Each structure stands twice: as structure tokens, then as C-alpha cells.
Amino acid sequence: MSILQLNPGSAVAKQQMTGVIKAYRNKKLATYLKAIITSEAFARFPEIEKIETNCYSVNTPIIHLNKRLGYKLRKRSFQFNLPAEHVKALTS
């Protein structure tokens, strides 16, 4: 699976959630998916100037795949999460 989102009027597409189920990993399918979705996006939507993607900093396989396909690191970001029990404590 690999998702590409393009909002009307935008020149920037968002590529997300490339994943292959475990039984089919290590067969270059993620590379193929991401490469084909990228080339098809630029071919079908000439208004796209760039495609952005993101991933967890610990997801080294997709980081390497992104670099291999030519994606450049734009910025590092922080990811936060908030456990449900903490929210319940805040609102009690």
C-alpha cells in the first residue's frame, strides 16, 4: 500500500503510508510502490511541483528507501502522543 494525496489547487502532493505486509517484504515491493506512485503522480498531474513524505525517525528502511528514490531531508520534527488516561485526568 502507498498513498498519495493531492489537494485541488496545490502544487505539493503528500505521499504517506507505504507499507508491505510481512510475508511480501524484502522483495523490493515498497521501492516499486513508492517509485511508481511518484512517477505516475508527476505524469498525471503536471501541476505538482514536489512531493513531500514523512516517517518516524526509527524507520530506517523507509528512510533509506526515500533517500534512494531522491527524497531530500527537509527538516526533522518531533512526534508527540498523549495517552487517553492522561486526558481523563486533565478533565476530571
Side-chain angles (χ1 to χ4, degrees), residues 11-22:
V12 179
K14 308 284 186 181
Q15 191 285 317
Q16 310 168 47
M17 301 294 297
T18 300
V20 175
I21 60 173
K22 195 171 192 172

Side-chain angles (χ1 to χ4, degrees), residues 19-35:
V20 175
I21 60 173
K22 195 171 192 172
Y24 294 96
R25 290 182 188 157
N26 299 314
K27 299 178 187 327
K28 304 288 184 197
L29 291 174
T31 301
Y32 174 77
L33 282 171
K34 201 153 186 167

Side-chain angles (χ1 to χ4, degrees), residues 80-91:
F80 296 88
N81 65 26
L82 182 63
E85 59 271 7
H86 183 73
V87 174
K88 291 174 189 172
L90 290 173
T91 58

Side-chain angles (χ1 to χ4, degrees), residues 2-87:
S2 193
I3 300 169
L4 187 103
Q5 175 185 352
L6 177 61
N7 294 326
S10 178
V12 179
K14 308 284 186 181
Q15 191 285 317
Q16 310 168 47
M17 301 294 297
T18 300
V20 175
I21 60 173
K22 195 171 192 172
Y24 294 96
R25 290 182 188 157
N26 299 314
K27 299 178 187 327
K28 304 288 184 197
L29 291 174
T31 301
Y32 174 77
L33 282 171
K34 201 153 186 167
I36 199 74
I37 202 169
T38 300
S39 63
E40 285 292 317
F42 284 120
R44 293 180 188 207
F45 304 99
E47 67 272 22
I48 295 175
E49 295 174 9
K50 67 179 176 178
I51 298 174
E52 294 179 345
T53 190
N54 59 42
C55 64
Y56 294 113
S57 62
V58 295
N59 190 345
T60 54
I62 203 73
I63 290 169
H64 293 301
L65 189 154
N66 286 339
K67 288 179 179 179
R68 224 177 17 255
L69 291 177
Y71 284 86
K72 304 290 184 222
L73 181 62
R74 187 176 62 123
K75 68 177 181 178
R76 296 183 188 269
S77 61
F78 295 98
Q79 180 185 13
F80 296 88
N81 65 26
L82 182 63
E85 59 271 7
H86 183 73
V87 174

